[in-house]
């Protein structure tokens, strides 16, 4: 009898343990842009609260928006704020939680070119339109005196999946070029005039790394990780600026003062001498009313941790921490999540 009772108790404890484990698994999907940082966050947070585990699919912002709308994940991740139509399509009130800021860099693979290229908005636009087809085009040569640009065709690379990085990049191109705005537009997916597609920031970085004379766009951390060079871009004030934590933060300096309550704001082509022109926030997408009380509580605890302790990990991984006034706003937003 004692053996039966012991076996019954053991089975009960195993069932409780399995249930607790299942309740603590938080699923997310979306942006590849912040993945290096999110991966670090999830790993570090597991040391603080071993009862919660995060399963994150780095599939692109478009996929994250679809999955959180369908409620197949507990949170989505996007570098593009949802439109009014996308918010209406959700079965509940979705809220944006800004996590950090990042820079989208123009990177390339050119033999013998060691120092950063200088590029302007019109040159980038015309390369992606297919109007500038060779690296030794007179306009590129004039802007990069002393650089031995090859007489080779430019191989253009872009994202093939629904992408927040694409949203930031095409938001910039639409902002600086009325022709791009009218003919191609902005969004997670666009009909590219030319180019090869790569899946995720990883895919684009990989394409550029293995393709001579190529050019493309990735989040700064992916360029650094893959040892890819990146260009200095001429900003709105006429200065050539390299992407960095400082120049990304400068892009948010003015915009953050006028941050809307729902955090849906663009940081591209902001004014300022030290401002890098292709920058953006990245957001976690969560439902204001959580369906699962245990998961909801765990998610809120994580969000509060990421807003404070997590911000300290941003800079080493080449992301810019949130401005102080935005942190205070987000604290209030997180308090409004119900579970």
């Amino acid at each position: 009898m004692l053996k039966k009772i012991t076996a019954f108790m053991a089975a009960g404890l195993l069932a409780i343990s399995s249930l607790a484990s299942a309740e603590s698994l938080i699923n997310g999907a979306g942006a590849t842009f912040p993945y290096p940082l999110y991966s670090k966050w999830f790993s570090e947070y597991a040391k603080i609260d071993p009862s919660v585990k995060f399963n994150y699919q780095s599939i692109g912002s478009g996929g994250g928006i679809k999955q959180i709308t369908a409620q197949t994940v507990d949170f989505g991740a996007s570098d593009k704020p949802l439109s009014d139509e996308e918010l209406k399509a959700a079965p509940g009130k979705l809220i944006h939680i800004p996590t950090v800021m990042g820079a989208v860099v123009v990177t390339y693979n050119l033999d013998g070119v060691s120092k950063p290229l200088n590029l302007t908005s019109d040159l980038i636009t015309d390369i992606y339109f297919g109007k500038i087809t060779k690296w030794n085009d007179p306009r590129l040569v004039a802007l990069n005196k002393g650089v031995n640009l090859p007489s080779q065709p430019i191989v253009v690379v872009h994202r093939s999946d629904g992408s927040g990085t694409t949203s930031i990049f095409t938001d910039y191109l639409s902002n600086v070029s009325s022709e791009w705005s009218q003919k191609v537009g902005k969004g997670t997916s666009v009909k590219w005039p030319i180019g090869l597609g790569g899946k995720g920031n990883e895919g684009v970085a990989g394409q550029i790394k293995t393709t001579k004379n190529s050019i493309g766009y990735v989040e700064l951390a992916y360029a650094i990780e893959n040892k890819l060079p990146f260009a200095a871009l001429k900003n709105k004030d006429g200065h050539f600026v390299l992407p960095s934590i400082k120049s990304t933060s400068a892009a948010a300096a003015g915009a953050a003062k006028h941050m809307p309550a729902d955090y849906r704001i663009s940081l591209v082509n902001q004014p300022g001498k030290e401002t890098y022109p292709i920058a953006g926030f990245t957001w976690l997408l969560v439902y204001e009313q959580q369906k699962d009380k245990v998961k909801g509580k765990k998610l809120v605890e994580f969000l509060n941790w990421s807003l404070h302790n997590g911000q300290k990990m941003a800079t080493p991984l080449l992301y810019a921490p949130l401005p102080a006034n935005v942190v205070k706003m987000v604290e209030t937003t997180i308090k409004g999540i119900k579970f």
Side-chain angles (χ1 to χ4, degrees):
M1 178 63 72
L2 182 60
K3 286 183 179 179
K4 287 184 179 180
I5 292 172
T6 303
F8 178 76
M9 288 177 66
L13 287 170
L14 182 62
I16 292 169
S17 174
S18 298
L19 180 61
S21 176
E23 288 174 342
S24 300
L25 180 63
I26 298 176
N27 295 300
T32 65
F33 181 96
Y35 178 66
L37 177 62
Y38 287 179
S39 180
K40 176 72 172 175
W41 279 0
F42 300 147
S43 174
E44 290 300 314
Y45 193 71
K47 298 173 186 175
I48 295 165
D49 184 356
S51 72
V52 63
K53 286 183 173 57
F54 287 88
N55 172 37
Y56 182 72
Q57 305 168 50
S58 177
I59 58 173
S61 296
I65 292 169
K66 285 179 183 175
Q67 290 209 27
I68 191 62
T69 302
Q71 294 184 299
T72 55
V73 291
D74 301 304
F75 67 90
S78 177
D79 316 313
K80 180 193 87 74
L82 273 65
S83 65
D84 291 344
E85 292 73 21
E86 287 171 323
L87 288 173
K88 287 175 185 175
K93 184 179 178 182
L94 266 178
I95 56 177
H96 293 70
I97 305 289
T99 52
V100 289
M101 301 169 291
V104 176
V105 308
V106 178
T107 182
Y108 44 86
N109 182 342
L110 285 174
D111 284 337
V113 177
S114 55
K115 70 175 186 178
L117 291 178
N118 286 329
L119 292 176
T120 60
S121 59
D122 59 316
L123 286 175
I124 298 167
T125 305
D126 283 352
I127 287 170
Y128 270 82
F129 261 133
K131 295 179 181 180
I132 295 178
T133 60
K134 287 201 169 184
W135 279 108
N136 66 341
D137 183 280
R139 293 164 64 194
L140 282 168
V141 171
L143 200 61
N144 294 277
K145 292 177 180 177
V147 179
N148 186 26
L149 292 171
S151 177
Q152 294 293 329
I154 299 173
V155 181
V156 174
V157 184
H158 55 72
R159 286 283 286 272
S160 60
D161 54 332
S163 156
T165 309
T166 292
S167 180
I168 294 171
F169 186 65
T170 57
D171 183 21
Y172 168 72
L173 295 182
S174 295
N175 191 286
V176 297
S177 167
S178 58
E179 184 183 8
W180 186 277
S181 179
Q182 292 164 12
K183 292 183 178 179
V184 182
K186 62 183 179 180
T188 55
S189 296
V190 297
K191 189 174 181 180
W192 295 99
I194 59 166
L196 306 173
K199 189 173 182 181
N201 273 282
E202 304 96 326
V204 172
Q207 283 266 29
I208 295 164
K209 196 169 185 177
T210 57
T211 308
K212 296 292 184 186
N213 304 309
S214 59
I215 191 169
Y217 60 92
V218 295
E219 198 280 326
L220 175 60
Y222 288 86
I224 298 289
E225 182 183 348
N226 287 279
K227 297 180 173 58
L228 292 170
F230 39 84
L233 304 187
K234 191 175 184 180
N235 66 16
K236 196 170 188 176
D237 285 17
H239 300 275
F240 285 95
V241 179
L242 283 167
S244 66
I245 303 300
K246 184 179 179 181
S247 60
T248 300
S249 297
K257 293 176 184 175
H258 309 286
M259 176 67 75
D262 62 8
Y263 308 105
R264 294 187 294 166
I265 192 171
S266 170
L267 296 183
V268 303
N269 207 33
Q270 293 290 322
K273 181 180 178 181
E274 298 181 333
T275 296
Y276 182 72
I278 317 182
F281 283 104
T282 189
W283 297 268
L284 291 183
L285 307 170
V286 301
Y287 284 100
E288 186 178 64
Q289 181 64 58
Q290 294 287 303
K291 292 199 303 183
D292 186 304
K293 184 175 181 179
V294 173
K295 282 189 178 184
K297 183 175 183 294
K298 293 290 185 184
L299 184 56
V300 164
E301 288 171 353
F302 168 75
L303 290 173
N304 278 315
W305 176 88
S306 70
L307 188 60
H308 297 288
N309 300 67
Q311 293 297 300
K312 299 169 188 174
M313 300 174 193
T315 300
L317 291 173
L318 304 171
Y319 297 90
L322 296 175
N325 68 309
V326 176
V327 169
K328 288 188 176 297
M329 288 177 66
V330 177
E331 284 176 345
T332 303
T333 300
I334 293 172
K335 285 177 184 176
I337 298 174
K338 305 173 183 68
F339 49 84

